[in-house]
Amino acid sequence: MIDDGTGLLTIGELARATGLTVRTIRYWSDEGALPPVARSSGGYRLYDAASVARLELIRTLRELGLGLDAVRRVLAGETTVAEVAATHVTALDAQIRALKVTRAVLSSVARRGSTAGEMTLMNKLARLSAAERKRIMEEFVEELFHGLDSVGPAIQERMRSLAGDLPEEPAPEQVDAWVELAEMVQDPEFRAQMRKVVEFNAADQDHAAAAGRSVWFPMRMLQLGAEARARGIAPESPEAEAILREVVGDGGLAVVLERMESASNDRLARYRELLATVKGAGTPSAHREEFGWVVAALRAGADR
């Protein structure tokens, strides 16, 4: 305390009273968070008892991770500590999610023994923000349905819900799957394959179409294939054709075969596997055996 009867403190005395360094107090003062209440005759900054309390609050807010801009707004009464804390919690949550993804990426790299190039790509894609990852998937779905007004909203919503994103605490295998999925949905060739499947399903909305071509018709055919395989029915047998015709009706098996082949290639199968892994849906299944049975049965029936 300077010996002039004012009760004011020099910056050195303020440092000793609070345990902070002179350099830190000077910086906070220069930034406007702790303005001096006066100047000595020699031009030195002077502070009062209120400055001590203000300095303690600044230190507390800074230790909580708030920037000086936020600290200044709190001290100026432009916002409350509670409001700033709530905003800071949101920011910390985002940082924590990003750190969890980073941890999963590193775990995957360690487990797989990835090359430097692979690690760079994985890190680049997996470190995208949740909003950016969502944008990649939304653009993919929008392109699939563009101009196909006959596709109902329920189907479009189902596709959007299937568009995978990483969970908040992804496992390394989920990071692997998402990176591969992100590359796949940005590949023009794969998009063209998926567009063909969607166009077939859009055509199924035509009420004049042959019986059995309902929305997402392949799923019904897969069910038949699974049941027939469980019963040991060979796809080349007349019994298999009879099962198919119960659903297809008088529609040509060759037309349905084209639809099923569009939905049963290896890349689409891999797409379904990746979605299942990203979503943590247990053992991923691409229904390869079921698709294979249906396609083989349709080919045999179409050739008869």
Side-chain angles (χ1 to χ4, degrees), residues 33-83:
L34 185 72
V37 298
R39 293 271 181 173
S40 69
S41 59
Y44 294 102
R45 298 176 239 213
L46 300 176
Y47 302 90
D48 58 11
S51 300
V52 177
R54 185 182 181 96
L55 187 56
E56 291 292 354
L57 176 57
I58 294 172
R59 174 161 59 180
T60 298
L61 294 174
R62 292 289 288 156
E63 286 176 350
L64 289 173
L66 273 66
L68 279 177
D69 285 341
V71 170
R72 281 194 298 267
R73 286 189 289 112
V74 169
L75 296 172
E78 297 172 3
T79 186
T80 67
V81 173
E83 290 169 341

Side-chain angles (χ1 to χ4, degrees), residues 20-272:
L20 291 164
T21 66
V22 169
R23 181 178 181 179
T24 297
I25 296 174
R26 183 178 291 115
Y27 172 67
W28 289 350
S29 184
D30 289 343
E31 292 296 313
L34 185 72
V37 298
R39 293 271 181 173
S40 69
S41 59
Y44 294 102
R45 298 176 239 213
L46 300 176
Y47 302 90
D48 58 11
S51 300
V52 177
R54 185 182 181 96
L55 187 56
E56 291 292 354
L57 176 57
I58 294 172
R59 174 161 59 180
T60 298
L61 294 174
R62 292 289 288 156
E63 286 176 350
L64 289 173
L66 273 66
L68 279 177
D69 285 341
V71 170
R72 281 194 298 267
R73 286 189 289 112
V74 169
L75 296 172
E78 297 172 3
T79 186
T80 67
V81 173
E83 290 169 341
V84 172
T87 301
H88 201 55
V89 165
T90 300
L92 285 174
D93 284 343
Q95 292 175 14
I96 290 170
R97 285 194 295 271
L99 286 172
K100 287 176 178 177
V101 171
T102 300
R103 182 182 185 280
V105 169
L106 290 173
S107 296
S108 179
V109 169
R111 176 172 54 86
R112 292 173 30 170
S114 303
T115 66
E118 289 173 333
M119 182 175 67
T120 299
L121 176 62
M122 287 180 59
N123 190 52
K124 178 181 177 181
L125 290 175
R127 287 286 298 277
L128 294 173
S129 70
E132 290 169 324
R133 292 196 299 267
K134 181 179 180 183
R135 176 187 55 78
I136 289 174
M137 294 303 177
E138 286 182 343
E139 287 181 353
F140 168 62
V141 175
E142 289 300 325
E143 181 175 320
L144 293 186
F145 291 110
H146 180 69
L148 299 179
D149 297 334
S150 62
V151 179
I155 296 175
Q156 296 189 40
E157 184 57 35
R158 181 174 182 270
M159 275 293 293
R160 289 188 176 91
S161 70
L162 290 176
D165 188 18
L166 287 169
E168 287 196 4
E169 297 189 42
E173 60 269 18
Q174 288 176 303
V175 172
D176 289 348
W178 194 90
V179 170
E180 186 178 343
L181 185 65
E183 289 184 280
M184 183 178 289
V185 301
Q186 294 178 87
D187 176 20
E189 183 179 342
F190 176 73
R191 289 192 176 204
Q193 291 176 338
M194 285 294 290
R195 172 72 177 192
K196 185 176 181 181
V197 174
V198 174
E199 287 173 347
F200 279 144
N201 284 291
D204 289 340
Q205 297 290 324
D206 183 1
H207 295 296
R213 296 184 195 169
S214 58
V215 175
W216 299 109
F217 177 70
M219 299 312 296
R220 173 58 181 149
M221 299 297 284
L222 282 181
Q223 181 183 4
L224 287 176
E227 293 172 352
R229 290 182 69 250
R231 292 163 53 192
I233 298 174
E236 301 82 7
S237 67
E239 186 178 0
E241 181 178 352
I243 291 172
L244 295 179
R245 289 205 178 274
E246 287 181 7
V247 178
V248 176
D250 294 330
L253 293 182
V255 176
V256 178
L257 173 61
E258 185 181 10
R259 279 163 167 70
M260 291 302 297
E261 286 179 328
S262 75
S264 62
N265 65 70
D266 286 340
R267 295 200 76 191
L268 266 66
R270 182 59 179 159
Y271 171 74
R272 290 188 288 270

